[in-house]
Amino acid sequence: MNGRNLFNLGEVFGYFFRKHDPNRKTNFNLRTMHFINKLSMSMFLVCLLVMLYRLFTR
């Protein structure tokens, strides 16, 4: 395993900005699951940025 693939964030950003697939069926549970996943990843990234900010400003 090389280091280049370790920090490949293309799939993460693709998850946030992908377009709606008209061939895929959707329901309330699936939409809720995707919303919770996006919310949790966003909260993680915000907390990571806050921790890095605090690390470099002290």
Side-chain angles (χ1 to χ4, degrees):
M1 177 173 170
N2 60 19
R4 187 181 315 172
N5 291 332
L6 186 63
F7 295 105
N8 187 3
L9 298 176
E11 293 182 16
V12 174
F13 290 122
Y15 182 78
F16 278 101
F17 301 113
R18 67 180 170 191
K19 296 185 183 206
H20 177 69
D21 186 7
N23 297 326
R24 182 182 297 172
K25 289 187 176 185
T26 183
N27 60 19
F28 175 76
N29 293 334
L30 187 62
R31 286 193 314 262
T32 304
M33 180 195 69
H34 284 295
F35 172 75
I36 292 171
N37 285 345
K38 290 178 184 180
L39 181 65
S40 64
M41 285 191 282
S42 300
M43 289 174 64
F44 172 78
L45 291 174
V46 168
C47 291
L48 186 65
L49 291 174
V50 169
M51 289 173 59
L52 288 173
Y53 174 77
R54 288 182 179 180
L55 176 70
F56 289 118
T57 58
R58 288 186 177 179

